[in-house]
Each structure stands twice: as C-alpha cells, then as structure tokens.
Amino acid sequence: MHDIVYLESALAIESRESIPDWVLTEKTAKNIAVVRRMKTLENIVPIGFRGNDRTKRFAALTPLDNIQKVITPEQATFGQIPKSHEQTIVHLRQICRGIRWGIGGSVGFTMATGIHACTEESDIDVILYKERMESLQPLQRLHEQIQQLNHQVDVQVEVANFGACLLNELVTSTTVLLRTGTGVFLVQRDNLFRSN
C-alpha cells in the first residue's frame, strides 16, 4: 500500500467505470498510480490515479507485469522536499531517526516523482512500519513531538501481516479502526499489542 508505481501502459488497466480522460493526460496520473489496500487475485495490483485536484481520483486494477518501476514511501523520504514543507520534513527526519517510516499523500507523491501535487496547506501523510506492536509509550512520545510541527501530520501505523491504524486513534482511544485488505474493523487497542 502507498507505493507509487510507473506503468508501462495506462491503458492496461481494468475498472468497473470508464477511464476518465484526465487519467491519460494529466501529469499526476499519466502512467503513474498509487497502490491501494485491497485483497486481489494473484498478479493483479489494485491501483489509484490522482488528478490535479482532490475531486479527481480513479480506482482500477492492473497486471503485475504492467508495472515498470516502484517507489516506496520510505524511498520518497529521500526525494526533493517541496519548499512549502521543507522545515516540517527536516524536523520529521530528525524525529523519525531510527524508526522505519515513509511519506505518502500529495507531499510524498511530489517527493517521489518530482511532479508538484501539493499545496502549501497540504497535510503530510506519514507511514510508520512495525513488525509488531510492542509498547504504546514510544508511540505516545512520537505523537507528542509530531503535534509540535508546522504542518498537520497524519500518521498511519502499518503492522506487518496485520493491518493499519491511525497513530492519533492509537494513543487517544481504547478502540481503533484497523484497516486491512478485507475491510475495516473496530478493535480494542489492547488486543493489537497482545495478538501480534
């Protein structure tokens, strides 16, 4: 999920809907897509295209062999930072030192591709990668530090072979929404730390 993929052909996609013209013409979509969270058949990848504004989003599927190149959110953290978000991302790099993390959303897309897709007010979407949930305390500290940054930073915690939840929910509520390839489930926070 969140990986940016370059496609050999934007026409080698399937969808229940007809392909909008902008998917084939706009810089942010032309042969570039983002991998979506969805359970699919073998060798078929769920992808989404983004237009030049929030109203333009298009979901589709593509064969695995149509993917030429993959840029992960972790790799995006090393990309060219948009001037509008430079200070915040420099601080994020310091805060997340020693942690496996990546950047997604419009800012991550911009850093990964070099195609400007964010505005000065764009939130920063951060993905934390965990092999398992071990302790809540380090996540609480990280959450407190992130609250001090200049931009809104939305953090999603991805737990290997389990699912993802929002850091804000994880540190402020006893129940969290867990996003998985088969759907979204409301779970008790304590169970996340016991069951993986």
Side-chain angles (χ1 to χ4, degrees):
M1 282 56 66
H2 311 288
D3 290 353
I4 291 169
V5 291
Y6 284 76
L7 308 178
E8 190 171 322
S9 170
L11 295 174
I13 62 173
E14 293 178 25
S15 177
R16 292 179 184 164
E17 302 170 30
S18 57
I19 302 171
D21 290 341
W22 61 262
V23 168
L24 304 175
T25 59
E26 288 190 11
K27 272 188 182 179
T28 53
K30 195 174 180 185
N31 286 23
I32 305 173
V34 180
V35 177
R36 297 182 294 123
R37 185 187 309 279
M38 180 179 147
K39 192 165 185 160
T40 59
L41 299 172
E42 193 176 348
N43 295 323
I44 300 293
V45 181
I47 56 172
F49 294 91
R50 63 183 309 136
N52 57 13
D53 65 62
R54 281 180 170 269
T55 63
K56 292 180 179 175
R57 297 290 184 266
F58 181 69
L61 302 171
T62 195
L64 184 60
D65 61 9
N66 188 40
I67 294 174
Q68 288 186 318
K69 177 182 175 183
V70 178
I71 301 175
T72 67
E74 288 177 273
Q75 291 168 327
T77 64
F78 298 102
Q80 181 67 42
I81 305 171
K83 286 280 185 214
S84 55
H85 290 70
E86 193 164 18
Q87 187 179 10
T88 302
I89 290 175
V90 166
H91 285 145
L92 262 176
R93 285 175 173 168
Q94 292 168 348
I95 291 169
C96 293
R97 189 176 291 134
I99 300 172
R100 190 173 163 222
W101 71 291
I103 187 164
S106 60
V107 176
F109 186 94
T110 300
M111 290 175 67
T113 65
I115 299 168
H116 203 77
C118 61
T119 67
E120 288 185 13
E121 292 79 32
S122 291
D123 294 352
I124 299 173
D125 295 327
V126 166
I127 303 100
L128 290 184
Y129 298 97
K130 308 285 267 175
E131 286 303 311
R132 59 194 305 268
M133 292 288 203
E134 291 162 342
S135 171
L136 188 59
Q137 275 188 329
L139 295 172
Q140 287 171 326
R141 281 197 303 273
L142 181 66
H143 181 256
E144 287 166 10
Q145 290 175 301
I146 283 172
Q147 299 307 303
Q148 309 304 314
L149 298 174
N150 291 341
H151 287 88
Q152 172 72 33
V153 179
D154 297 319
V155 182
Q156 186 167 278
V157 183
E158 290 266 357
V159 185
N161 304 315
F162 202 64
C165 57
L166 297 178
L167 178 64
N168 187 54
E169 283 184 13
L170 198 58
V171 301
T172 61
S173 175
T174 56
T175 57
V176 296
L177 286 176
L178 184 70
R179 293 155 178 84
T180 73
T182 56
V184 180
F185 304 94
L186 188 64
V187 299
Q188 292 296 313
R189 178 177 66 190
D190 290 350
N191 291 340
L192 294 176
F193 290 89
R194 287 194 202 111
S195 60
N196 63 82

